[in-house]
Amino acid sequence: MVLLTPDLEKTYSNSEATTFEPAHTPARIGVAVERTMSIRSIRDNLSPAAARIPVEFTKAISIIVDTREDARGVSTRPGSEISEKKSKEAMKDIAALDWHTISTSTLFQHLSVSPSAGLDAPQAARRLSTYGSNNISPPPRNMLKKVLEWLFGGFGTLLLGASLLCFIAWKPLGSPPLASNLALAVVLLIVLLLQTIFNAWQDFSISRIMSSIQNLLPSNVTVIRNSAQVNIVSEQLVPGDVVVVAMGMKIPADLRMIECTGDCMFDRSILTGESEPVPATVDKTDDNFLETKNIALQGTHCTSGSGKGVVVQTGDLTVFGRIATLSSQTSGHLTTLQREIFRLVLFIASIAALVAILIVILWAAWLRRAFPNFINVPNLLTDVVSVVVGFLPTGLPIALTISMAKVAGTLSKHKVLCKSLSIVETLGAVNVLCSDKTGTLTQNCMHVENVAVYDLELDLTELRDRLMSGGKAAEAPSDQSDLSTKLSESETARENLAQLGAVAGICNAAAFAAEQNEKPLEVREIIGDATDSAILRFAESIAPVEASLTAWQEVHKVNFNSKTKYMLKLSKLSSAYVAADPRPAPIASWDDFSPNDYLLTVKGAPEVLFPRCSYVLAPGGGEPFRLSPDILERIVSLQDSWAAQGRRVLVLARKVIREEEISKHAKMGSQTFAELVNDLTEDLVIVGLVGLVDPLREDIVDTVRVCRGAGIRFFVVTGDHPATAVAISAQAGIVSDVSKIHHFSDLDPKLPVESIPPYVPVAEDDDDPRPMKGIVVTGSDMTKFTGSQLDQLCTYDEIVFARTTPEQKLFIVRAFQTRDCIVAMTGDGVNDSASLRVADCGIAMGSGSDVAREAADMVLLDSFGSIVVALEYGRLVYDNLKKTCLYLLPAGSFSELMPILVNIFLGVPQMLSNLQMILICVATDIAPALSLCMEQPESGLLRRRPRNVKTDHLVDWRLLLHAYGFLGVLESLCAMSMSFWYLQRQGVPFSELVFQFGNWPTLTTEDLYRAQSVYFFTLVIMQWGNLLSTRCRKFSIFQHTPAKNWYLVPAMICALVVAIFFSYIPFFQNAFLTRGIPAEHYFIPVAFGAALLFLDETRKYFVRRNPRGVAWLAW
């Protein structure tokens, strides 16, 4: 540590001073890190997110490959090696840290900071200038590795191997060496070079796109500066800053905890792999900096509770920073799109390999013996190379990259941030969407609509009127026993009603931002979650909250979380306040309260707190009523009534705890003290109920309608009351008919599993949509599920899961995944993080917690409605890639294979040269294929059912039938006919070529080269018709006009220009053996292309008229 004074703040450099040396405190250099955990073991336990960088760096995007830990057990942890020297240095540096061993007073002295006032602005500015921003330096790029990836990525290895074979066919096997073989080898190398350049360009360009949008997700932190809480960007943190830690927060720097609630816990799994959260303490629990619980390490998460910590290390000097600089990323599991691409390439490569093997076998077993002068070894090698290279859709990787780049730009404009671009396609395949309610369906802008004391229901205006009409407080009596007689009846009623505001203000984790007192209450900024903010605003409207907080000194606090579903605060009367008012609100005249007693205030879910309550406040004044079953039934009835209107209902309760009930041996802040307070949380007095309203997002109804029209089941998974959840779901359109909704009791536990029909999705385009079935189940119901009941549940169209825990949310996701569903989960809270990780596509809201945004694959920065854009583009990417494959296969593989097969089996000349095959694959087909990536969505794209990832593949038998049996056959026959017709006109009839196997005396090489060029140009021009027909799957060209894609015509012209370029320039004519063609051979293929388009339009017409009857015609 370094002693910092206002006048002098010593510098610690990134290279030499890796620790602060405290004045008068020896550094604990000898602490044995390896005693429990070495730096290497921590590095090995880093999750991929950790390896990528903490806080603001975790918003950095990985392109296409998802590097998070796969929720289904596929480990993607980095396995990079750390040099022994660097590892030892890191161990020594961390072992020398001793911030955890010194007292808090010494900590404040060394960092020149006040825990209540924080740093002042000049201090913070100086330290920021001295220490730099709180960033972790990105690891250096391994350029050699990058270049190798660019060179051999995609089909690079295959191209290099094919080029080497061609060189071998030229020399030494060539006798004499043929220039065409050399030209083919050189062309393949040029293609490899161009692919490398393109890979480098797309890597750079997409990285630039990602860099431009990653700042859309700022990482803010609340600190105390100038005696006020302020929000700053985490990059501006400096040593000495006092950070306010809240549940769901990602720790932005290494903090020494100076204050924490009893339930404050940190998830360190990102660093240590520990599955259970670690409780926080103020005092050290271990000499090891990595093991002690009074240090909150950067990159970890606060999973419950709250507290304050002082920044002791920032940037590269944090433990996270030291480890991250020694780590590197590795690839993760394959997404659905990557699996489809891999499956396609494997399928095509297998066919190409089988054909190549077949050619070699036929040559070796038949042709070499029967016709020894027909095909020699060099020609055999070039034929094999042509088959293999020609068969592969070389343009597909480029098309995929262009599609992803387009998606990145479009989604960033709609404020959709993807950590992995290919996850968008996964979203396009989603058929189950599980959504949290608060902050996702609703605006997360709550306000208190109603309150109730016992069965007295009031709106806020009525409550304020009753409090005002109570008159002035009665004069304090001299005798405490006489108190009740000295107060008017209205005053006793007033003091009971006033307890609502007092308890709401005291038992609250939110706070008004600094310098907000002069603003109207409705617009004052509040730091805290939506629920606490709404209740705080309500409390302030009743009475100044500051007065209550000044009167009561916090002793112990348990923040609200999704498991306990309540917040608790234990307070003691401030010593300065005892003389001023020994009975501040919510203490009432009937309370037997002494200044040394404690006040326990609680706020939470009614069904959780009601069992702990024994009394209820009397709205008319006086002592509380005993909570009898009849009274409780009336309160629960009111709660259910509010919940059915979509309100969130919370109960406020309190209790006076006598001084003698708090054991002197229980140290405040200890686990024993927390357990004691928990045991005392009984016999509470119900102060009242508050009903909160959280309006639906403006676009949620349309969003739900579109999702359901797309065949996606839209479920609500929430911790709220079932009636509230169903009411909100009905308002959003998720539940069609509340009166017909089923419950857990409607699921037959004895129904045989085999008799349960599989779920059939319903989309807007379906001819006979069936009635929707809806059900609501609670978390307690889920604990009773049998296998049969779970199977029955999964067949419902509309499901509302209420009062769920984080573990149950996880169970829901996995239950549908095991039934072959692609599940998307949306959420914004800590309780959503586990299910966000497990879901096929985790979607967090930009306003949500750091934990949720870290766990998600996608973040919606603005409107929830932007998920519709992501859904559409997910399906569009898949559709356009399917069209690209269909365009590339007929000419790029089938029509290139036919000349070789006809040459081998029928003995005629090869009507398409090997070089021309390569030109089609890597030149003429590329621009039109890329133009298909720019296609706009077809009408009705979001009215179809989502694809079944198990059966609906990028290339299936229908697409192959269309590509080979329809397009490929037509193009091959037309091109072959044109070539032989040209030779017929040159005096070389077909009868003199067939079955001659190289004995073609009337055929000159010039005629052969020109006939091959005729075949080549016929394919290039007929591909125009293929392009115009393939761009629409079902719709006519008149319904989805070419005007929607202005890239089409330039791409068609580009393909022809490329063909002319290589066929008319003398250099290429000599090197590639290409030739120009007669004029008529330009126009006749145009007619062929038009005919092909007409035939496909006829096919689409019948598909639209009778989609089920001719389903085999639809690809």
Side-chain angles (χ1 to χ4, degrees):
M1 275 174 268
V2 172
L3 178 60
L4 301 175
T5 65
D7 299 321
L8 178 64
E9 297 177 2
K10 296 183 180 179
T11 304
Y12 65 100
S13 67
N14 290 340
S15 59
E16 298 179 12
T18 56
T19 61
F20 287 98
E21 294 293 332
H24 315 300
T25 305
R28 299 179 180 269
I29 301 296
V31 178
V33 177
E34 59 271 44
R35 179 174 57 82
T36 56
M37 175 188 314
S38 69
I39 185 72
R40 183 182 296 277
S41 69
I42 296 177
R43 187 280 321 278
D44 291 339
N45 278 310
L46 271 176
S47 75
R52 281 200 303 275
I53 306 308
V55 193
E56 60 276 353
F57 284 88
T58 53
K59 30 182 201 178
I61 313 299
S62 62
I63 312 302
I64 300 179
V65 177
D66 184 358
T67 55
R68 67 181 172 90
E69 183 174 348
D70 184 27
R72 304 189 188 189
V74 179
S75 177
T76 60
R77 291 179 178 177
S80 59
E81 292 294 329
I82 299 180
S83 70
E84 204 62 37
K85 181 179 179 181
K86 289 185 177 180
S87 179
K88 289 180 179 179
E89 289 176 355
M91 289 170 59
K92 182 179 179 181
D93 290 343
I94 294 178
L97 300 175
D98 62 353
W99 289 106
H100 58 301
T101 63
I102 62 176
S103 66
T104 53
S105 58
T106 305
L107 176 76
F108 302 144
Q109 176 188 357
H110 287 334
L111 293 175
S112 298
V113 64
S114 163
S116 58
L119 299 176
D120 57 33
Q123 266 185 308
R126 285 198 304 271
R127 296 187 186 188
L128 184 63
S129 174
T130 301
Y131 306 137
S133 60
N134 181 34
N135 289 333
I136 291 182
S137 304
R141 299 184 67 181
N142 188 334
M143 285 307 299
L144 176 61
K145 181 181 177 182
K146 273 289 182 186
V147 170
L148 292 176
E149 288 176 354
W150 297 336
L151 185 63
F152 297 111
F155 302 116
T157 304
L158 182 63
L159 291 172
L160 181 60
S163 178
L164 291 177
L165 285 178
C166 291
F167 275 116
I168 293 173
W170 173 58
K171 283 184 180 181
L173 296 181
S175 181
L178 295 178
S180 60
N181 289 343
L182 175 61
L184 182 58
V186 173
V187 166
L188 290 174
L189 284 181
I190 292 173
V191 172
L192 177 61
L193 177 62
L194 292 175
Q195 176 182 280
T196 302
I197 294 172
F198 179 82
N199 287 340
W201 170 80
Q202 66 92 11
D203 190 13
F204 169 75
S205 61
I206 294 185
S207 297
R208 186 176 57 187
I209 293 173
M210 292 302 126
S211 298
S212 68
I213 66 176
Q214 65 181 355
N215 292 326
L216 294 175
L217 190 59
S219 182
N220 293 329
V221 60
T222 302
V223 299
I224 298 176
R225 286 187 180 177
N226 298 318
S227 301
Q229 289 190 13
V230 294
N231 284 324
I232 65 170
V233 179
S234 60
E235 295 176 356
Q236 298 177 359
L237 278 179
V238 294
D241 262 325
V242 180
V243 176
V244 179
V245 178
M247 182 176 69
M249 173 183 173
K250 186 169 184 179
I251 304 305
D254 286 350
L255 309 179
R256 164 67 191 273
M257 299 302 295
I258 60 172
E259 182 182 311
C260 56
T261 59
D263 61 334
C264 185
M265 305 188 81
F266 293 99
D267 178 6
R268 291 185 172 186
S269 60
I270 196 170
L271 281 174
T272 65
E274 297 174 82
S275 59
E276 294 297 323
V278 176
T281 63
V282 174
D283 300 321
K284 78 161 187 172
T285 58
D286 198 293
D287 287 337
N288 188 341
F289 188 82
L290 300 170
E291 293 287 342
T292 186
K293 298 175 181 178
N294 65 342
I295 294 292
L297 297 171
Q298 181 179 26
T300 61
H301 295 97
C302 177
T303 58
S304 64
S306 60
K308 292 179 183 177
V310 176
V311 175
V312 293
Q313 296 182 134
T314 59
D316 289 335
L317 292 186
T318 62
V319 171
F320 205 119
R322 300 169 199 265
I323 299 171
T325 55
L326 301 177
S327 302
S328 60
Q329 304 179 48
T330 58
S331 298
H333 67 289
L334 296 177
T335 63
T336 56
L337 179 59
Q338 290 169 323
R339 285 196 294 269
E340 287 298 319
I341 296 294
F342 178 76
R343 180 180 176 275
L344 169 63
V345 172
L346 185 63
F347 173 75
I348 298 295
S350 299
I351 294 179
L354 287 174
V355 172
I357 293 171
L358 177 62
I359 291 174
V360 173
I361 292 173
L362 288 174
W363 176 82
W366 171 42
L367 293 176
R368 184 171 62 90
R369 298 177 181 177
F371 307 100
N373 297 323
F374 180 42
I375 298 178
N376 56 24
V377 174
N379 288 342
L380 177 66
L381 287 178
T382 55
D383 282 346
V384 169
V385 166
S386 301
V387 168
V388 174
V389 176
F391 241 105
L392 293 177
T394 315
L396 190 58
I398 302 175
L400 177 61
T401 299
I402 296 296
S403 297
M404 293 297 101
K406 181 186 177 186
V407 166
T410 303
L411 293 185
S412 64
K413 291 177 183 177
H414 289 86
K415 300 295 183 69
V416 178
L417 183 62
C418 298
K419 295 182 180 178
S420 164
L421 289 181
S422 59
I423 205 69
V424 177
E425 191 280 327
T426 301
L427 184 61
V430 160
N431 49 30
V432 170
L433 177 58
C434 299
S435 174
D436 185 32
K437 181 184 74 68
T438 304
T440 305
L441 300 180
T442 60
Q443 298 177 17
N444 206 24
C445 297
M446 298 185 186
H447 66 272
V448 175
E449 184 79 6
N450 294 85
V451 296
V453 179
Y454 182 25
D455 58 352
L456 176 63
E457 183 179 353
L458 304 168
D459 61 30
L460 299 193
T461 303
E462 291 173 330
L463 176 62
R464 283 192 287 267
D465 289 345
R466 286 184 178 246
L467 291 174
M468 292 294 293
S469 64
K472 295 181 180 180
E475 193 175 7
S478 57
D479 185 359
Q480 186 70 19
S481 63
D482 256 4
L483 186 58
S484 59
T485 61
K486 297 292 184 180
L487 292 171
S488 65
E489 182 178 344
S490 61
E491 181 60 20
T492 58
R494 179 185 179 280
E495 72 170 356
N496 280 6
L497 293 178
Q499 292 186 46
L500 278 169
V503 173
I506 295 170
C507 188
N508 204 302
F512 286 107
E515 301 178 359
Q516 298 280 316
N517 293 336
E518 302 302 322
K519 296 182 180 180
L521 178 59
E522 293 76 15
V523 298
R524 289 175 65 180
E525 181 185 352
I526 297 179
I527 299 173
D529 67 31
T531 303
D532 277 333
S533 298
I535 294 179
L536 181 66
R537 212 179 293 276
F538 154 73
E540 182 72 11
S541 70
I542 302 303
V545 173
E546 185 63 30
S548 299
L549 296 178
T550 304
W552 296 99
Q553 179 181 351
E554 179 184 313
V555 175
H556 177 76
K557 182 171 69 173
V558 176
N559 281 325
F560 181 93
N561 64 64
S562 58
K563 291 185 178 180
T564 61
K565 298 188 184 299
Y566 67 82
M567 177 185 177
L568 173 153
K569 184 180 282 190
L570 182 68
S571 306
K572 195 168 185 179
L573 195 61
S574 172
S575 57
Y577 215 83
V578 172
D581 184 0
R583 193 171 45 81
I587 301 301
S589 56
W590 40 264
D591 275 310
D592 183 14
F593 181 82
S594 69
N596 292 325
D597 290 338
Y598 295 85
L599 172 68
L600 180 68
T601 52
V602 189
K603 172 186 80 220
E607 60 267 33
V608 174
L609 293 182
F610 281 161
R612 298 187 177 216
C613 297
S614 301
Y615 304 92
V616 60
L617 212 60
E623 296 187 3
F625 302 137
R626 192 75 178 173
L627 191 62
S628 66
D630 290 340
I631 291 177
L632 181 59
E633 183 179 351
R634 295 177 70 175
I635 297 175
V636 171
S637 175
L638 178 61
Q639 174 203 351
D640 291 341
S641 172
W642 284 2
Q645 299 173 46
R647 297 175 194 169
R648 184 179 187 187
V649 184
L650 296 179
V651 62
L652 303 177
R654 72 173 184 90
K655 178 185 179 181
V656 172
I657 296 179
R658 306 299 171 197
E659 180 184 14
E660 56 271 16
E661 293 182 78
I662 302 294
S663 171
K664 303 295 184 182
H665 302 290
K667 183 180 179 181
M668 292 183 183
S670 67
Q671 188 63 32
T672 303
F673 188 82
E675 292 172 357
L676 174 63
V677 174
N678 183 66
D679 293 340
L680 292 173
T681 308
E682 57 184 15
D683 293 331
L684 301 173
V685 178
I686 298 176
V687 175
L689 302 180
V690 291
L692 298 103
V693 172
D694 190 3
L696 287 175
R697 292 181 179 268
E698 294 180 357
D699 56 356
I700 195 64
V701 175
D702 287 337
T703 301
V704 171
R705 177 184 56 77
V706 171
C707 290
R708 296 193 62 174
I712 300 171
R713 287 189 283 176
F714 203 122
F715 301 155
V716 173
V717 185
T718 179
D720 270 352
H721 190 277
T724 304
V726 170
I728 293 295
S729 300
Q731 294 172 20
I734 298 169
V735 172
S736 303
D737 191 343
V738 175
S739 64
K740 295 181 180 179
I741 198 164
H742 290 188
H743 297 80
F744 175 70
S745 57
D746 294 303
L747 302 175
D748 185 358
K750 299 180 180 179
L751 185 66
V753 173
E754 57 272 12
S755 65
I756 301 172
Y759 178 78
V760 178
V762 178
E764 193 173 333
D765 275 356
D766 290 348
D767 297 330
D768 51 349
R770 51 179 171 74
M772 298 287 102
K773 288 196 309 178
I775 188 171
V776 56
V777 293
T778 64
S780 59
D781 294 335
M782 293 173 64
T783 61
K784 309 169 190 173
F785 274 151
T786 64
S788 174
Q789 287 175 313
L790 186 57
D791 282 341
Q792 294 173 58
L793 176 75
C794 292
T795 63
Y796 278 81
D797 303 284
E798 304 165 347
I799 308 179
V800 176
F801 297 95
R803 290 303 191 210
T804 55
T805 65
E807 293 78 10
Q808 288 168 338
K809 290 187 176 185
L810 203 61
F811 172 79
I812 292 165
V813 172
R814 285 178 170 155
F816 282 95
Q817 285 177 332
T818 57
R819 287 158 179 80
D820 295 334
C821 293
I822 303 297
V823 182
M825 168 65 78
T826 70
D828 62 351
V830 178
N831 58 322
D832 300 317
S833 60
S835 52
L836 288 174
R837 287 189 185 277
V838 170
D840 296 281
C841 183
I843 306 169
M845 304 304 296
S847 57
S849 67
D850 291 340
V851 181
R853 295 187 301 190
E854 172 89 359
D857 303 292
M858 181 181 296
V859 181
L860 306 181
L861 299 174
D862 189 9
S863 167
F864 183 72
S866 55
I867 196 174
V868 172
V869 179
L871 279 170
E872 185 174 44
Y873 273 86
R875 293 190 177 187
L876 178 64
V877 165
Y878 188 80
D879 257 21
N880 286 350
L881 288 177
K882 202 174 182 75
K883 295 171 184 177
T884 301
C885 291
L886 181 58
Y887 174 80
L888 291 172
L889 291 179
S893 60
F894 188 85
S895 299
E896 294 178 354
L897 176 64
M898 291 309 295
I900 296 178
L901 294 182
V902 171
N903 172 244
I904 291 174
F905 286 101
L906 299 183
V908 299
Q910 185 173 312
M911 285 293 102
L912 185 67
S913 72
N914 298 326
L915 275 165
Q916 287 169 331
M917 293 180 188
I918 304 301
L919 287 177
I920 291 175
C921 289
V922 301
T924 62
D925 268 356
I926 296 298
L930 295 183
S931 71
L932 288 174
C933 298
M934 312 306 291
E935 278 293 330
Q936 297 300 311
E938 292 183 44
S939 177
L941 184 61
L942 288 181
R943 293 200 298 269
R944 303 184 208 151
R945 296 179 183 180
R947 71 182 183 91
N948 186 330
V949 295
K950 298 288 185 181
T951 58
D952 300 336
H953 297 294
L954 192 63
V955 174
D956 54 18
W957 69 268
R958 290 187 181 88
L959 187 138
L960 290 175
L961 176 65
H962 189 71
Y964 293 155
F966 176 63
L967 297 172
V969 168
L970 288 177
E971 289 188 357
S972 298
L973 287 177
C974 291
M976 200 76 72
S977 300
M978 293 297 290
S979 296
F980 287 118
W981 180 57
Y982 172 80
L983 292 178
Q984 177 82 28
R985 293 169 61 196
Q986 302 305 312
V988 186
F990 181 72
S991 59
E992 294 183 5
L993 302 174
V994 67
F995 299 123
Q996 297 305 308
F997 295 100
N999 184 23
W1000 310 302
T1002 58
L1003 179 64
T1004 65
T1005 55
E1006 187 64 25
D1007 286 340
L1008 177 60
Y1009 297 156
R1010 209 167 286 275
Q1012 289 175 336
S1013 295
V1014 167
Y1015 190 105
F1016 174 66
F1017 274 92
T1018 303
L1019 281 185
V1020 170
I1021 297 174
M1022 283 195 71
Q1023 281 287 82
W1024 292 359
N1026 179 13
L1027 180 67
L1028 293 175
S1029 61
T1030 299
R1031 59 181 294 272
C1032 304
R1033 293 185 64 177
K1034 294 182 180 179
F1035 289 96
S1036 167
I1037 191 173
F1038 302 106
Q1039 294 172 309
H1040 190 72
T1041 64
K1044 294 185 177 181
N1045 184 358
W1046 292 106
Y1047 294 93
L1048 285 175
V1049 175
M1052 294 161 62
I1053 295 173
C1054 179
L1056 182 59
V1057 169
V1058 169
I1060 292 173
F1061 177 79
F1062 285 106
S1063 299
Y1064 282 85
I1065 294 179
F1067 172 80
F1068 292 112
Q1069 287 182 338
N1070 295 328
F1072 293 178
L1073 305 180
T1074 54
R1075 297 294 184 268
I1077 60 173
E1080 62 268 23
H1081 288 282
Y1082 284 99
F1083 297 102
I1084 297 176
V1086 172
F1088 289 157
L1092 186 150
L1093 177 61
F1094 174 76
L1095 291 174
D1096 197 61
E1097 285 289 306
T1098 305
R1099 178 193 65 83
K1100 292 176 186 175
Y1101 172 77
F1102 286 108
V1103 169
R1104 291 194 300 272
R1105 287 289 303 270
N1106 188 13
R1108 295 187 178 180
V1110 290
W1112 59 276
L1113 287 176
W1115 52 273

